[in-house]
Amino acid sequence: IKFENVSIAYGNRTVLDNINFNINEKTIHGLLGPNGAGKSTLYHLMTGLIEPRQGKIIIDGQDVTNLPVYLRTKKHGIGYVPQYGGAFADLTLHENLKAISEIVIENKNYRTEKINYLISKFEFDNIKDIKARFLSGGQKKRLIIAMALLSDPKVLLLDEVYAALDVLTIKMMQEIIVN
């Protein structure tokens, strides 16, 4: 991922001004800074949830500045776990996984296989038929991580990923994400 002279403002407030950086393959990076520093905004720019006021975002050598979210996910392997939200409240855990899999996995048989694998890996067997709105904060966060992993992303963006998770779950999630 490469940012070239990227700037964005919300109204008159400039959040990011002329940002330039490269993220190379097979590396792990963290964004640190106080609330309002622009960390989530960087993620939103990378995923295509928002567009910069100026500059280019390049992934795999291709300018994706105006490419929509679903194409960045499918063509460039971008997975995203947002700080807030991310699941469809009125769908069950299983239905959430199925809905996203229909966008990111073309092979119907592999969809089912991948969903079953994630349900097992994340220990969702007992809660797969519960609507997302009734899941605990930690269960929702785990669901959103599983949804982001459906596409076997090349780039996984995690925004405050361990918020609402207990220590044991954090260790399990770290192992799953790294693997």
Side-chain angles (χ1 to χ4, degrees):
I1 298 178
K2 183 177 184 178
F3 272 44
E4 292 181 351
N5 304 313
V6 173
S7 296
I8 189 164
Y10 297 116
N12 291 332
R13 182 174 169 256
T14 299
V15 178
L16 301 172
D17 190 22
N18 203 33
I19 301 294
N20 292 282
F21 66 83
N22 291 310
I23 299 174
N24 296 318
E25 286 186 68
K26 298 182 180 162
T27 60
I28 298 173
H29 297 270
L31 294 174
L32 301 173
N35 290 341
K39 300 178 300 292
S40 294
T41 298
L42 278 171
Y43 288 136
H44 293 168
L45 286 163
M46 287 183 217
T47 59
L49 289 170
I50 57 175
E51 292 183 15
R53 179 179 62 195
Q54 70 177 43
K56 287 184 184 179
I57 300 165
I58 298 170
I59 301 175
D60 292 330
Q62 182 181 1
D63 184 350
V64 298
T65 308
N66 299 309
L67 208 59
V69 175
Y70 80 97
L71 284 178
R72 289 188 200 195
T73 299
K74 284 184 81 163
K75 290 175 79 172
H76 298 286
I78 303 293
Y80 177 51
V81 178
Q83 183 175 0
Y84 304 107
F88 300 103
D90 285 331
L91 297 181
T92 66
L93 184 147
H94 184 267
E95 290 168 340
N96 267 279
L97 291 169
K98 188 170 185 260
I100 299 305
S101 75
E102 289 175 357
I103 296 168
V104 299
I105 302 172
E106 291 184 25
N107 182 313
K108 219 177 202 181
N109 293 330
Y110 183 64
R111 270 186 223 151
T112 303
E113 183 181 318
K114 184 70 175 194
I115 289 169
N116 290 338
Y117 168 78
L118 289 170
I119 285 173
S120 173
K121 191 75 172 167
F122 282 81
E123 300 174 359
F124 288 149
D125 295 296
N126 295 332
I127 59 171
K128 68 182 181 186
D129 296 321
I130 295 175
K131 288 190 177 195
R133 77 174 62 229
F134 299 118
L135 297 174
S136 71
Q139 291 169 332
K140 282 180 194 170
K141 186 61 84 170
R142 288 173 35 227
L143 167 60
I144 295 161
I145 293 168
M147 290 165 63
L149 294 175
L150 270 168
S151 64
D152 296 319
K154 292 185 343 190
V155 176
L156 184 59
L157 304 171
L158 308 168
D159 195 355
E160 302 280 344
V161 70
Y162 299 126
L165 297 179
D166 59 81
V167 175
L168 292 175
T169 304
I170 289 171
K171 286 185 180 268
M172 181 180 88
M173 292 298 100
Q174 287 173 334
E175 185 178 312
I176 289 170
I177 289 167
V178 169
N179 289 337

